[in-house]
Amino acid sequence: MTVNEIIIRTARLADADAIRHISGRYAKEGVMLERSTEDIIENIRNFLVAEENGQVIGSCALSFFTVHLAEIRTLAVIDTFTRRGVGRKLVGKAEEVLSEEGVRTAFVLTLNPDFFLSLGYHAVDKERFPQKIWRDCTYCPKLMACDEIAMIKDLEGATVDSPLSAVGRNKKSEP
Ligand SMILES: CC(C)(COP(=O)(O)OP(=O)(O)OC[C@H]1O[C@@H](n2cnc3c(N)ncnc32)[C@H](O)[C@@H]1OP(=O)(O)O)[C@@H](O)C(=O)NCCC(=O)NCCS
């Protein structure tokens, strides 16, 4: 059996439709927040795509909050390509890019904690995250009924509290 090479690269404008298609399908299922083509185009340099035989089969995006804290979001792999390590590769590359930027902590908001657990993330209380983190939540249909699990990974062995120390503790913050 031929094993095709999966390339992880920075997205190009021409990938916007494919990213929209892949993530849009999961958004319709309520698994992730919908992102418009305009939003994807505006943020295209923060997207990574997985490509096999010239086809975009998965993508994820980076979203920076402080110089030491960033989110990995909009992670999606076409269902017929799952469980082949594509998601792991995308997250690995995202973490590499974040580390190069000096980001110490990556976080995710997810309904699929088992996947991220397998990649070394652990759950934290999302109520303890600063209000800043919720900048996208206003656009989410779930809003206050958010059922996503916040998970973090220390990219250089920082402590669990590091996201808060980067922007100051704000116990009053609400989603
Ligand atoms: C979650 C998702 C990105 C995983 O992509 P993937 O390419 O299948 O992941 P990988 O093949 O790299 O899996 C790596 C490991 O993660 C774990 N894993 C992957 N999918 C899992 C799942 N659905 N449930 C539990 N563990 C899972 C497994 O340990 C897996 O290793 P294994 O196959 O050797 O057992 C993909 O299923 C997807 O797009 N889901 C819908 C959108 C979504 O939930 N995005 C993430 C949150 S925003």
Side-chain angles (χ1 to χ4, degrees):
M1 184 182 124
T2 311
V3 177
N4 297 314
E5 192 189 359
I6 296 163
I7 299 163
I8 309 294
R9 59 167 174 80
T10 304
R12 298 188 282 263
L13 280 174
D15 302 316
D17 278 342
I19 294 169
R20 160 93 176 133
H21 184 73
I22 297 168
S23 57
R25 186 231 135 136
Y26 290 118
K28 280 190 180 63
E29 292 174 7
V31 176
M32 62 172 58
L33 187 57
E34 178 120 42
R35 298 193 68 169
S36 67
T37 307
E38 293 74 23
D39 177 27
I40 293 167
I41 287 172
E42 189 180 335
N43 294 287
I44 197 71
R45 291 292 182 223
N46 285 329
F47 276 88
L48 297 171
V49 294
E51 184 183 290
E52 186 180 56
N53 291 334
Q55 180 189 3
V56 173
I57 58 172
S59 59
C60 71
L62 308 175
S63 186
F64 296 92
F65 282 83
T66 75
V67 290
H68 296 312
L69 175 68
E71 179 185 9
I72 299 173
R73 58 180 300 206
T74 325
L75 172 68
V77 175
I78 295 177
D79 56 356
T80 48
F81 291 90
T82 54
R83 299 312 278 254
R84 289 178 46 200
V86 180
R88 183 192 299 274
K89 280 194 168 75
L90 277 164
V91 173
K93 182 65 183 177
E95 290 171 357
E96 194 183 305
V97 174
L98 295 181
S99 291
E100 282 169 10
E101 289 288 346
V103 170
R104 295 176 186 157
T105 306
F107 80 93
V108 296
L109 290 171
T110 185
L111 295 174
N112 195 343
D114 290 342
F115 168 75
F116 287 102
L117 266 177
S118 78
L119 301 186
Y121 287 74
H122 61 274
V124 293
D125 182 358
K126 66 184 171 196
E127 302 303 324
R128 293 185 62 212
F129 277 73
Q131 178 123 18
K132 214 171 173 192
I133 287 175
W134 306 108
R135 68 183 174 195
D136 301 309
C137 299
T138 14
Y139 305 106
C140 179
K142 292 181 186 169
L143 199 60
M144 299 304 280
C146 176
D147 52 359
E148 297 202 321
I149 296 161
M151 301 182 81
I152 67 169
K153 181 171 177 179
D154 300 320
L155 300 181
E156 56 160 33
T159 65
V160 170
D161 278 339
S162 59
L164 302 176
S165 61
V167 289
R169 290 172 190 273
N170 182 2
K171 280 274 194 181
K172 286 183 185 158
S173 59
E174 299 291 340

